[in-house]
């Protein structure tokens, strides 16, 4: 007990002494704390994002008991509406799917198993009308036991229960806390309020807790949840709940105490296979499609049960490489900051050499002094950590704002500086204090007492400190070069992408989207609505042309279909598979409005409707696919195997960028919207204006409102903004790497300046002797500058080798520039050398002003 009290007293004495010393040398303290704050703050901010995206469990009761269901099938297992993707680590030769048909959910839920709950959810699109104001919101349908299975408690009111999940039940809805804040300003009277979802009235009965953002993927955080049984009243696809419906439901479950996921899989595997095979056999193949092949037992689907503690992580894992790469960048900045502070501590230790020698001479043990010096370093790093938390809140917001990963859904994750993140910051601060403090402490206490007490000469420890300082500077230069080269490559990538020819005129274009299908518009009524909207928008003063298409160019939204080409060498016209092409549903004046040049043939006309022969316009790449040259006019193909000559090519237009600027030109087919009216849903309007389109946005909104006040206008942006949005990841990396690279360059310059200034101070007597013997100022300047440039060149050489290794890992993120681009490497090396030369010049110039008489009396 006494030893513990003595240890605490000693620690308290060390802390008070360290605080006095840091307060006494406030200039050193301020520079060191600021350097550490930037490094620790950046790491803390990024860790908070990584924690929210990749590490944090669902904020529900006992999340470790949750499981997530997937299905595994072989490639030749075909069924309708299958939503498969490359989930993590599927068995070799298997395809993993996230979703299930409603019939499978119903069968699994009926079984007695090791699961206390099996619940379902799925995203649906809704138009929301509250008090006459229309909007679009993210929504989901959930089974009645969804919230009970998760263990979520209501924040206000109540949540959806099994009694609500009945076709005859009163329609109720639960909203998220974010939506409550955004749409209702957290008004308590929201309970019992009537809202219309896709023109169906629902009563709001509750609000979910602020920390709960659903179980879905990034970017799909739901605003509104409604019972699963009411999905047919909201969906334009009425088949999902009936017969051989689509694979559309996500399934999760909660394990009984003591059970595991393998037991859950074994208890449900047979029922799952039976329900899927029944579903497959009941499916009616579309006309022209071959019958489904017979299945061998080895081809039967398999059930996969994964941990559901973090909800669905598939899309979140797409962000992992980017986040971990940035984490490596900010960790490198922190290392540079540590090296810089270590150099400052070494220089500071040289001024305390006599103090340390006195303590050693009076009997203080070397271990005791190392602990004292480490206490100062750790206290300094903790101060940097406290300041870093302030920086972290700003940097975190910058990450989300500039990156916009996952759109609003990423922000819905709401990365917070909570106890986990604060614990990370404290641990990082302590580690940082030890990292930059241990080497200076060891060097400072390894001194020769006699010359130190006499205050004459230079001990061997001074030489070792100088060598350590120079090594730290070399490391700073090397790490700075790595960051700056990475930034340079991303800046060139961004510039290359911005200069990519788009194939159309993106200036003076305003885009907005609508989805009348959600309000029940179909066929002739839908066509009439779009015609009215076209006329109203075209009449807005300042509008020169209007068109619309299913997907906006450069939006990342892409539609594709398999095509079948008629065989020219076959007498019976037997079809052959041609592969998948991009399909773009457009209005007849799309090419003229977007200023896409027509190279051959004709464009569409209003007469190209459902009654007319099917025609398309294709791009140059598609034309080369079906003909030896670009002249593909009158060539025929089909979208079904039994009609390979149904569609005639009537025009060829120039290649344009469809999904993003990175893609090579893909075979693209433009289809007149009136010939596929049943497939027309939401559309994006492209409005060409005489000048800046932004001021016309209110008038255009009003024009749409005059056609149907219940139809919300969403996604209002210019085409230039759309193009820039598609480059947000590249812009994020270019900006952040440039910022951190310049910060690292500044820290390296400060470190080099400190070492050279210390070296000049240590060699004052030597410089005086040289000048007394006839050395000119130029010679002294050259001597000092050469020392600084040698350190810089060594750092550049090591940094170039490191950059070659690192940039190869970023190869997939670059565009139009090699990962080892010589021009970038040389330019960055020259920039770093110039800054290093400037940092060395100031102490070198000071050395040339040394008075030989004063220098000879130095020390």
């Amino acid at each position: 007990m006494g030893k513990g009290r003595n240890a605490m007293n000693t620690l308290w004495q060390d802390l008070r002494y360290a605080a006095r010393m840091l307060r006494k040398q406030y200039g050193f303290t301020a520079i060191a704390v600021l350097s550490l704050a930037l490094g620790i703050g950046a790491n803390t901010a990024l860790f908070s994002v990584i924690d929210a995206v990749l590490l944090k469990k669902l904020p529900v009761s006992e999340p470790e008991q949750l499981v997530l269901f997937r299905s595994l099938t072989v490639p030749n297992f075909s069924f309708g509406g299958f939503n498969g993707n490359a989930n993590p680590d599927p068995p070799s030769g298997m395809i993993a799917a996230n979703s299930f048909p409603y019939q499978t959910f119903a069968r699994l839920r009926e079984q007695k198993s090791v699961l206390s709950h099996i619940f379902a959810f799925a995203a649906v699109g809704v138009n929301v009308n509250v008090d006459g104001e229309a909007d679009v919101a993210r929504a989901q349908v959930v089974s009645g036991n969804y919230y009970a299975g998760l263990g979520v408690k209501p924040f206000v009111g109540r949540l959806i229960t099994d009694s609500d999940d009945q076709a005859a039940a009163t329609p109720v809805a639960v909203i998220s806390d974010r939506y409550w804040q955004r749409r209702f300003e957290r008004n308590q009277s929201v309970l019992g309020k009537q809202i219309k979802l896709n023109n169906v009235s629902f009563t709001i009965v509750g609000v979910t807790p602020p920390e709960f953002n659903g179980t879905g993927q990034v970017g799909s955080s739901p605003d509104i949840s409604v019972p699963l049984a009411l999905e047919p009243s909201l969906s334009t696809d009425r088949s999902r709940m009936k017969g051989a419906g689509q694979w559309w439901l996500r399934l999760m479950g909660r394990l009984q105490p003591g059970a595991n996921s393998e037991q859950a899989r074994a208890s449900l595997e047979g029922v799952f296979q039976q329900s899927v095979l029944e579903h497959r056999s009941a499916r009616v193949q579309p006309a022209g499609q071959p019958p489904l092949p017979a299945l061998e037992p080895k081809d039967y689907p398999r059930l996969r049960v994964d941990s559901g503690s973090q909800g669905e992580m598939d899309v979140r894992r797409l962000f992992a490489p980017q986040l971990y790469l940035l984490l490596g960048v900010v960790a490198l900045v922190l290392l540079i900051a540590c090296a810089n502070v270590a150099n400052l501590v070494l220089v500071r230790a040289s001024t305390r050499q006599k103090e340390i020698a006195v303590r050693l001479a009076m009997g203080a043990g070397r271990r005791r002094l190392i602990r004292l010096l480490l206490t100062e370093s750790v206290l300094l790093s903790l101060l940097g950590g406290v300041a870093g938390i302030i920086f972290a809140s700003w940097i975190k917001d910058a990450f989300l704002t500039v990156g916009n990963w996952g759109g609003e859904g990423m922000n819905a994750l709401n990365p917070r500086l909570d106890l986990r993140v604060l614990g990370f910051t404290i641990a990082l601060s302590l580690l940082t204090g030890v990292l930059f403090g241990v080497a200076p402490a060891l060097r400072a206490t390894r001194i020769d007492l006699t010359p130190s007490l006499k205050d004459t000469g230079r001990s061997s420890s001074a030489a070792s400190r100088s060598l350590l300082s120079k090594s730290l500077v070399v490391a700073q230069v090397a790490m700075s070069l790595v960051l700056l080269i990475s930034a340079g490559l991303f800046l060139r990538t961004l510039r290359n992408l911005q200069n990519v020819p788009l194939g159309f005129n993106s200036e003076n274009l305003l885009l907005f989207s609508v989805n009348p299908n959600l309000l029940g518009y179909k066929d002739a009524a839908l066509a009439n609505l779009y015609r009215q909207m076209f006329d109203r928008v075209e009449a807005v003063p300042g509008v020169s042309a209007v068109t619309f298409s299913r997907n906006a160019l450069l939006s990342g939204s892409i539609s594709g279909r398999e095509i079948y080409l008629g065989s020219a060498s076959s007498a019976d016209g037997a079809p052959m598979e041609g592969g998948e092409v991009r399909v773009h549903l457009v209005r007849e004046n799309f090419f003229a409005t977007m200023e896409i040049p027509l190279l051959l043939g004709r464009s569409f006309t209003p007469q190209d409707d459902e009654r007319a022969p099917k025609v398309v316009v294709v791009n140059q790449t598609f034309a080369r696919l079906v003909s030896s040259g670009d002249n593909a006019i009158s060539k025929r193909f089909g979208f079904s195997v039994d009609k390979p000559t149904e569609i005639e090519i009537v025009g060829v237009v120039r290649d344009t960028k469809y999904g993003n600027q990175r893609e090579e030109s893909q075979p693209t087919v433009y289809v007149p919207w009136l010939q596929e009216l049943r497939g027309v849903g939401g559309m994006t309007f492209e409005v060409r204006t005489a000048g800046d389109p932004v001021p016309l946005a209110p008038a255009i909104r009003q024009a749409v409102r005059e056609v149907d006040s219940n139809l919300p206008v969403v996604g209002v942006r210019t085409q230039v903004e759309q193009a820039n949005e598609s480059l947000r990841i590249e812009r994020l990396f270019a900006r952040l790497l440039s910022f951190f690279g310049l910060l690292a360059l500044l820290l390296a310059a400060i470190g080099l300046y400190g070492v050279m200034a210390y070296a000049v101070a240590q060699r004052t007597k030597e410089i005086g002797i040289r000048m007394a013997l006839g050395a000119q100022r130029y010679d002294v300047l050259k001597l000092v500058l050469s020392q600084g440039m040698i350190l810089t060149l060594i750092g550049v050489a090591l940094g170039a080798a490191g950059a070659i290794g690192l940039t190869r890992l970023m190869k997939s993120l670059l565009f139009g520039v090699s990962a080892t681009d010589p021009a970038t490497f040389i330019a960055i090396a020259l920039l770093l050398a110039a800054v290093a030369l400037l940092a060395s010049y100031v102490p070198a110039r000071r050395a040339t002003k040394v008075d030989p008489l004063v220098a000879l009396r130095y020390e």
Side-chain angles (χ1 to χ4, degrees):
M1 188 70 178
K3 290 183 178 180
R5 185 180 294 108
N6 289 336
M8 289 300 298
N9 289 335
T10 302
L11 178 61
W12 178 244
Q13 290 174 2
D14 289 349
L15 286 172
R16 287 191 301 173
Y17 179 78
R20 286 199 304 270
M21 294 301 295
L22 294 179
R23 186 171 62 249
K24 181 179 180 181
Q25 296 180 314
Y26 57 86
F28 158 80
T29 303
I31 295 174
V33 168
L34 181 60
S35 299
L36 293 172
L38 289 171
I40 293 174
N43 279 269
T44 299
L46 195 54
F47 176 78
S48 71
V49 177
I50 290 176
D51 182 52
V53 177
L54 301 174
L55 304 179
K56 188 170 290 184
K57 295 182 179 180
L58 292 175
V60 300
S61 174
E62 299 179 303
E64 62 280 355
Q65 293 184 356
L66 294 175
V67 293
L68 180 67
F69 292 97
R70 305 185 194 279
S71 61
L72 297 173
T73 62
V74 294
N76 67 339
F77 183 86
S78 302
F79 42 78
F82 169 68
N83 180 15
N85 58 35
N87 287 311
D89 305 322
S92 177
M94 304 292 286
I95 300 173
N98 294 324
S99 54
F100 298 84
Y102 177 80
Q103 294 82 358
T104 296
F105 165 61
R107 293 287 296 275
L108 293 180
R109 191 178 179 183
E110 292 170 355
Q111 304 306 306
K112 301 294 184 182
S113 68
V114 296
L115 294 164
S116 60
H117 290 276
I118 296 179
F119 49 91
F121 57 97
V124 293
V126 294
N127 278 350
V128 185
N129 191 306
V130 181
D131 298 331
E133 294 184 12
D135 192 8
V136 171
R138 293 188 179 93
Q140 66 174 356
V141 291
V142 300
S143 59
N145 63 337
Y146 174 80
Y147 292 108
L150 285 171
V152 176
K153 303 298 182 183
F155 187 63
V156 175
R158 70 174 181 87
L159 302 178
I160 293 171
T161 65
D162 284 327
S163 61
D164 298 313
D165 192 18
Q166 307 292 332
T170 301
V172 298
V174 170
I175 63 175
S176 70
D177 180 77
R178 290 175 58 251
Y179 192 68
W180 185 32
Q181 168 67 37
R182 186 174 80 238
R183 194 67 193 267
F184 301 99
E185 298 180 345
R186 303 180 76 87
N187 193 322
Q188 295 290 334
S189 64
V190 70
L191 296 182
K193 191 172 188 60
Q194 294 289 315
I195 61 173
K196 283 191 174 182
L197 307 180
N198 296 352
N199 277 341
V200 179
S201 293
F202 284 77
T203 302
I204 297 177
V205 296
V207 179
T208 57
E211 66 275 8
F212 180 73
N213 292 299
T215 52
Q217 300 168 343
V218 172
S220 62
S221 177
D223 297 317
I224 303 171
S225 299
V226 299
L228 176 61
L230 300 179
E231 187 272 342
S233 65
L234 297 176
S235 177
T236 57
D237 184 354
R238 301 291 194 255
S239 68
R240 297 208 292 182
M241 295 279 287
K242 307 273 185 192
Q246 300 176 0
W247 290 63
W248 62 291
L249 280 176
R250 303 307 204 246
L251 301 185
M252 290 183 70
R254 177 173 289 277
L255 294 168
Q256 299 275 13
N260 58 49
S261 57
E262 177 56 28
Q263 292 173 330
R265 186 203 62 77
S267 67
L268 296 173
E269 178 92 272
V271 176
F272 163 71
Q273 290 182 347
Q274 183 180 359
S275 70
V276 172
L277 293 174
E278 290 173 354
H279 169 80
R280 184 175 186 268
S281 63
R283 171 172 160 75
V284 178
Q285 284 290 86
Q289 295 296 321
L292 295 175
L295 288 179
E296 298 292 333
K298 64 182 178 61
D299 295 333
Y300 285 0
R302 291 159 48 189
L303 187 65
R304 173 169 165 172
V305 182
D306 296 332
S307 171
S309 62
Q310 293 178 276
E312 294 189 276
M313 290 293 294
D314 300 329
V315 174
R316 298 183 189 187
R317 288 191 178 98
L318 295 177
F319 299 111
Q322 303 163 3
L323 290 172
Y324 286 135
L325 177 59
L326 283 178
L327 186 61
V329 168
V330 296
L332 206 58
V333 171
L334 181 58
L335 287 177
I336 295 172
C338 287
N340 195 54
V341 175
N343 250 333
L344 291 174
V345 172
L346 279 172
V347 173
R348 179 169 172 263
S350 67
T351 65
R352 301 176 62 183
Q353 184 172 321
K354 187 170 184 179
E355 172 201 340
I356 294 172
V358 170
R359 287 177 176 271
L360 288 171
M362 293 181 66
R366 185 170 179 234
R367 182 179 299 178
R368 176 73 180 83
L369 287 178
I370 290 174
R371 189 174 69 181
L372 176 64
L373 295 176
L374 277 179
T375 301
E376 291 185 28
S377 298
V378 170
L379 180 60
L380 190 65
S381 66
L382 288 175
L383 292 174
V386 172
I389 292 173
I390 300 174
F391 281 102
S393 63
W394 300 335
I395 297 173
K396 172 180 68 70
D397 293 340
F399 279 145
L400 296 178
T401 301
V402 177
N404 193 28
W405 298 331
E408 189 180 355
M410 174 67 84
N411 294 325
L413 290 170
N414 192 19
R416 297 178 180 177
L417 303 181
D418 54 18
L419 291 178
R420 286 162 55 93
V421 177
L422 293 179
F424 170 83
T425 304
I426 293 172
L428 184 63
S429 300
L430 293 173
L431 177 63
T432 300
V434 174
L435 187 65
F436 75 75
V438 65
L442 291 173
R443 295 297 187 191
T445 56
R446 189 180 300 158
I447 62 175
D448 191 347
L449 293 181
T450 302
S452 297
L453 291 172
K454 289 181 178 180
D455 200 21
T456 61
R458 262 179 224 93
S459 66
S460 62
S461 65
S464 65
R465 278 197 298 271
S466 177
L467 178 61
L468 179 59
S469 293
K470 292 176 182 177
S471 300
L472 290 172
V473 168
V474 169
Q476 285 181 273
V477 171
M479 291 185 287
S480 300
L481 185 76
V482 170
L483 288 181
L484 286 169
I485 287 177
S486 301
L489 292 175
F490 272 102
L491 285 172
R492 292 195 62 185
T493 290
L494 182 61
R495 187 188 66 181
N496 292 341
L497 288 170
Q498 289 174 333
N499 293 333
V500 167
L502 301 179
F504 64 95
N505 183 6
S506 62
E507 299 296 324
N508 297 334
L509 269 178
L510 187 72
L511 312 180
F512 68 88
S513 301
V514 292
N515 193 353
N517 274 19
L518 297 178
L519 296 178
Y521 284 95
K522 288 183 178 181
D523 302 333
L526 182 63
N528 186 53
L529 175 74
Y530 277 129
R531 290 191 184 99
Q532 292 183 54
M533 289 176 60
F534 174 86
D535 293 339
R536 291 296 183 96
V537 174
E538 189 180 41
V540 173
V543 171
S544 57
V546 182
T547 191
F548 49 79
S549 59
R550 176 178 290 169
N551 301 317
L553 294 177
L554 302 180
S555 65
S557 297
I558 297 172
S559 298
R561 295 185 199 172
E562 292 287 331
I563 66 165
Y564 299 86
L565 306 175
S567 175
S569 60
S570 175
D572 59 0
M576 67 176 183
E577 186 173 346
E580 185 172 279
V581 299
R582 305 282 174 83
V583 177
H584 205 25
L585 200 65
V586 300
R587 193 181 186 276
E588 52 269 18
N589 66 335
F590 180 78
F591 307 112
T593 302
M594 301 300 290
E595 299 183 15
I596 301 174
L598 181 67
L599 304 179
L600 291 172
R602 69 172 178 87
S603 184
F604 300 130
T605 69
Q607 286 69 46
D608 293 320
D609 56 18
E610 287 185 312
R611 297 183 296 269
K614 291 187 178 298
V615 296
V616 296
V617 172
V618 301
N619 69 345
Q620 294 167 283
T621 303
F622 186 93
R624 288 189 289 269
L625 177 69
V626 298
S627 64
S628 57
D630 286 349
N631 189 3
I633 303 300
S634 299
K635 297 286 185 181
R636 291 182 172 273
F637 67 94
F639 289 133
S640 64
V641 68
D642 62 333
K643 296 181 180 180
T645 59
E646 179 185 27
I647 303 170
E648 179 184 1
I649 299 173
V650 297
V652 178
V653 295
R654 187 168 68 186
D655 287 338
T656 64
K657 295 297 182 181
Y658 186 174
N660 58 69
Q661 292 92 327
R662 285 179 176 269
E663 67 177 5
E664 297 291 334
S665 295
Q666 300 294 319
T668 303
V669 175
Y670 297 91
V671 179
W673 72 292
L674 288 173
Q675 290 198 340
E676 293 202 0
L677 194 55
R678 293 188 177 182
V680 173
M683 285 285 192
T684 295
F685 275 70
E686 293 95 356
V687 183
R688 177 78 64 185
T689 61
D692 182 7
V694 176
L696 298 183
I700 291 172
R701 284 181 181 274
Q702 179 59 33
V704 175
R705 193 177 297 117
E706 290 172 357
V707 177
D708 187 339
S709 61
N710 292 323
L711 184 64
V713 173
V714 298
V716 179
R717 71 277 190 201
T718 66
Q719 181 66 65
V720 172
E721 290 172 338
Q722 179 71 75
N724 290 336
E725 171 66 15
S726 67
L727 300 176
R728 66 179 184 272
I729 296 298
E730 290 82 359
R731 186 171 289 103
L732 169 74
F733 274 90
R735 288 177 178 177
L736 291 181
L737 286 174
S738 297
F739 171 75
F740 289 125
L742 293 175
L743 176 61
L745 180 62
L746 175 62
L747 292 173
I750 293 173
L752 182 61
Y753 169 82
V755 166
M756 298 311 300
Y758 176 69
V760 168
Q762 291 292 97
R763 301 176 66 181
T764 299
K765 187 172 183 178
E766 174 195 340
I767 293 171
I769 293 174
R770 286 177 179 270
M771 297 186 72
L773 292 176
Q776 301 298 312
R777 291 189 173 184
Y778 170 78
D779 298 320
V780 175
L781 186 68
K782 180 180 177 182
L783 174 69
V784 178
L785 285 179
S786 63
Q787 183 179 353
M789 294 311 296
I790 288 173
L791 296 178
T792 301
L793 292 177
I794 295 174
V796 167
L798 294 176
I804 290 174
L806 176 64
T807 54
R808 288 183 185 276
L809 300 177
M810 304 187 302
K811 186 176 180 180
S812 62
L813 298 174
L814 303 178
F815 179 83
V817 60
S818 168
T820 56
D821 178 56
T824 302
F825 274 65
I826 293 172
I828 295 301
L830 292 176
L831 171 64
L832 191 57
V835 173
L837 183 63
L838 180 62
S840 302
Y841 176 76
V842 176
R845 187 168 179 273
R846 185 181 302 146
T848 63
K849 296 182 179 180
V850 170
D851 187 337
L853 294 178
V854 175
L856 291 174
R857 292 195 297 268
Y858 186 72
E859 295 184 346

